[in-house]
Structure formats: structure tokens, C-alpha cells
Amino acid sequence: MEALLTSTMLVAVAEIGDKTQLLSFVLAARLRKPWAIIAGIFVATVLNHALAGSVGVWLAQLIAPQWLPWITGAVFIAFGLWALHPDSLDEDPKIHPAGAFVTTTIAFFIAEMGDKTQFATVALGAQFQGALVAVVLGTTLGMMLANVPAVIVGEKLAKRLPLDQIRWIAAGVFIATGVATMLGAPAV
């Protein structure tokens, strides 16, 4: 349960103002098919985060157990600092002829590659390596909590969210998680 709740909270907070949330706003405005967009976000997130969480579990097996909390704690602190940098979309997504679902699935999967929530999922997979399913469910739930409102409410929500404050909160949550992880680490 800890893996599920931690993963959900970290990703939901980190996703506010993230480039994939900005992509959700753009897709909602351009495609105007909210249920197809939401389904595409869900599928892309499950696939991407299952891969990322699996990489985290694999990496955790390569690292000596006494070092793992220190490394994952430091990674979470780095994510906290990264969260302070506002994201932007590099370009508008290409509309796939197969429609809104396929366009969203492809665009979201690609946008999530190398994104802080993907790297957070790698770190969460390493931290909770015995609970990969809970991590993937939690990170997916966190993505949906942040992105479904973006799709449904769209631009109106984007203009009302205090993104600077949310970035600071996300940074604080990541840094606190990193410190807590390190404090629970065995002495080296």
C-alpha cells in the first residue's frame, strides 16, 4: 500500500505543469475527443511506466542494498530541483490518421520518455522493487489524476492553476521523499 500511495502522490503532484500535462491541454483543444484522449493517456502511461518501473527494479538488483536508499534519495532530491524548472512543449503533436486515441497514445508515450515522472517511476521501481505492480498502478493513477481534469476542463483550468506554487510544492514533496529515504538508510 505504501508503494501505491507514494507513487500516486509523487506523480500527481509532479505532473502539474509538466510537459505531458501541457500536451493534455493541447490534445484536448485540438482533437476535442476527451474519452479517446483519456484512454490514450491511460494506455501510454501504463506501457511507459511498466517499462520504467521494470528498469528501476533491474537497476536496484545491480546496486548494493546499503547504497540503494542513498542513491534513490539523492535521485528524488534531484527531481525536486528539476521540478522547479517550468516545462514546455517542443512542438505540437502530429495528428495520426487513425484518430484521437492513437494520436494521444503515441504522443503521450513519446513525451513521457525522459520526463521527470518517468525517471521518478524508475526510482520508485528501485525503491519498492517488491511492489512493481503497485508502483505502476500508483504512477498511472497519479498521471490520470493530473491529466483527466486537464483534458476535461482544458485551457480554463490551465489559466487558473497557480503553476509556480504547484512547482514549489512538487519540489518540496520530492525533496522530502528523498530525505526520508536517506534517513531510513542503513549506515554505510
Side-chain angles (χ1 to χ4, degrees):
M1 196 61 159
E2 179 186 2
L4 177 73
L5 295 175
T6 301
S7 299
T8 301
M9 179 194 62
L10 280 176
V11 170
V13 172
E15 185 63 12
I16 305 295
D18 191 68
K19 73 178 172 186
T20 45
Q21 188 181 53
L22 300 174
L23 179 60
S24 297
F25 289 127
V26 170
L27 291 170
R30 288 189 62 199
L31 300 174
R32 301 197 187 281
K33 302 242 186 240
W35 296 112
I37 295 167
I38 290 167
I41 290 170
F42 177 78
V43 169
T45 301
V46 168
L47 294 173
N48 193 292
H49 288 198
L51 175 65
S54 297
V55 168
V57 170
W58 174 72
L59 287 173
Q61 295 168 355
L62 299 177
I63 300 169
Q66 68 269 23
W67 287 103
L68 191 58
W70 294 100
I71 293 169
T72 56
V75 167
F76 283 125
I77 291 170
F79 292 147
L81 298 174
W82 186 3
L84 294 173
H85 181 332
D87 274 343
S88 63
L89 286 177
D90 297 331
E91 59 186 61
D92 277 346
K94 308 270 185 290
I95 304 302
H96 194 279
F101 172 76
V102 173
T103 297
T104 302
T105 303
I106 293 169
F108 222 84
F109 187 88
I110 291 170
E112 190 63 11
M113 296 300 285
D115 193 53
K116 69 179 157 277
T117 50
Q118 185 190 43
F119 285 123
T121 304
V122 171
L124 288 161
Q127 182 176 2
F128 298 109
Q129 55 190 298
L132 177 60
V133 171
V135 167
V136 174
L137 286 173
T139 58
T140 300
L141 179 59
M143 290 288 281
M144 299 310 287
L145 287 171
N147 288 302
V148 169
V151 171
I152 294 172
V153 182
E155 290 294 321
K156 294 175 187 169
L157 180 63
K159 292 175 183 171
R160 293 185 183 198
L161 288 175
L163 294 180
D164 286 337
Q165 293 166 333
I166 292 170
R167 263 194 295 284
W168 279 97
I169 291 168
V173 169
F174 272 120
I175 291 169
T177 301
V179 170
T181 301
M182 290 174 158
L183 291 176
V188 179

